[in-house]
Amino acid sequence: KAGVTQTPRYLIKTRGQQVTLSCSPISGHRSVSWYQQTPGQGLQFLFEYFSETQRNKGNFPGRFSGRQFSNSRSEMNVSTLELGDSALYLCASSLGGTLTEAFFGQGTRLTVV
Amino acid sequence: TQLLEQSPQFLSIQEGENLTVYCNSSSVFSSLQWYRQEPGEGPVLLVTVVTGGEVKKLKRLTFQFGDARKDSSLHITAAQPGDTGLYLCAGLNTGTASKLTFGTGTRLQVTL
C-alpha cells in the first residue's frame, strides 16, 4: 500500500510569510499527527487530527494551525514565519486507536530566510 | 512536561561491536516505542514495549522497558553498517495515544 505522502519536500520562505504543508495519510488511516524536528529541540509534537477534529495539541504558538479533511488528508499552516520555524516537519498517520503504529512521511524541509 | 533523555548522544563504533542506548525519564509512560530515522526519511517504528520489565528481541536488537516504566534500553549485538542512523525513543500515555513524546536521540555510526 502507498505510504504517507508529504508535499512539498522542500520549501524556502521569507520571514513574515505564511506557509501551508500537506499530508496524505495511508488509505484507511483516520489519525494524522504533525511533528517539528530541529537539531536543537529534536522531535516535538504539534497536533493530531482524528476524523476532522483536533484531538491533541502540543505546546506551540497559535501561529501553527492545522486541519483535516473528510478524506483524512491534512494540512498544517504556519503564519508570520520566523527564522526559528526552519525545521523538518513530519506527518504521521495511524489507525487512531491506542498503541497503533504510526507511519511517518519523509517530511517537508522548511527554510525561513 | 514529560522529558525523555537519551544517552549517549553520539556513538561511533566498528562493525561487530556491541552497544547499548539508554532512554530515561522522571515520568511514567504507558508504553514506549523505539524508532530509527535515516537521513532524508521519517522515523520508522522498531518496537513497542508495554509492560514494565518487558524484554523484546528482534534479531540482533534487544529492547527492555524498565520495571517502573520510566526508562528503556536498546542493545545491539554485532553492529553492522546498516544499523547506522538516528535512534529515537518515544513515550506514549493512555488517553493521548497518538501524542508521542520523543527522546533527545542517539546518532549511531557503524564503520567497516
Side-chain angles (χ1 to χ4, degrees):
Chain A
K1 56 183 176 183
V4 179
T5 303
Q6 290 188 246
T7 57
R9 287 292 310 278
Y10 303 93
L11 206 49
I12 300 175
K13 289 286 189 178
T14 305
R15 268 185 305 175
Q17 288 187 313
Q18 73 165 15
V19 67
T20 299
L21 312 181
S22 179
C23 173
S24 293
I26 291 171
S27 178
H29 285 191
R30 296 166 64 189
S31 170
V32 173
S33 299
W34 288 89
Y35 293 83
Q36 181 196 65
Q37 187 173 28
T38 60
Q41 298 298 317
L43 263 158
Q44 292 186 293
F45 175 81
L46 281 156
F47 32 65
E48 182 225 358
Y49 286 86
F50 181 83
S51 294
E52 302 180 64
T53 301
Q54 188 179 84
R55 191 162 67 167
N56 286 300
K57 190 177 187 303
N59 298 320
F60 278 81
R63 300 185 298 106
F64 292 82
S65 63
R67 60 177 176 169
Q68 187 179 33
F69 302 96
S70 58
N71 62 357
S72 292
R73 190 178 71 85
S74 177
E75 289 181 346
M76 68 162 281
N77 183 276
V78 188
S79 62
T80 319
L81 284 166
E82 300 176 359
L83 295 179
D85 296 333
S86 294
L88 180 66
Y89 289 88
L90 290 160
C91 160
S93 85
S94 72
L95 291 170
T98 305
L99 299 183
T100 57
E101 180 176 356
F103 294 84
F104 282 83
Q106 292 181 299
T108 294
R109 171 76 62 186
L110 172 65
T111 302
V112 182
V113 297
Chain B
T1 302
Q2 294 179 306
L3 296 173
L4 280 165
E5 294 286 338
Q6 287 184 235
S7 62
Q9 190 176 359
F10 298 99
L11 198 51
S12 181
I13 61 173
Q14 290 190 316
E15 183 180 19
E17 293 185 33
N18 302 331
L19 66 117
T20 302
V21 177
Y22 299 93
C23 173
N24 294 294
S25 174
S26 58
S27 304
V28 174
F29 288 97
S30 302
S31 62
L32 199 132
Q33 297 181 329
W34 283 92
Y35 289 81
R36 183 172 71 207
Q37 184 179 20
E38 298 185 25
E41 303 291 330
V44 175
L45 179 66
L46 297 174
V47 77
T48 301
V49 285
V50 179
T51 305
E54 181 177 3
V55 176
K56 278 191 175 179
K57 291 188 178 182
L58 297 174
K59 297 183 181 178
R60 295 177 295 102
L61 278 59
T62 302
F63 304 87
Q64 184 165 9
F65 200 12
D67 291 339
R69 289 186 287 121
K70 291 183 180 181
D71 56 87
S72 181
S73 64
L74 157 61
H75 182 80
I76 300 179
T77 303
Q80 299 176 357
D83 296 326
T84 294
L86 177 66
Y87 287 81
L88 296 155
C89 62
L92 296 101
N93 282 310
T94 304
T96 57
S98 296
K99 178 181 177 181
L100 293 166
T101 299
F102 278 93
T104 49
T106 295
R107 193 164 296 279
L108 170 66
Q109 182 171 16
V110 182
T111 56
L112 294 169

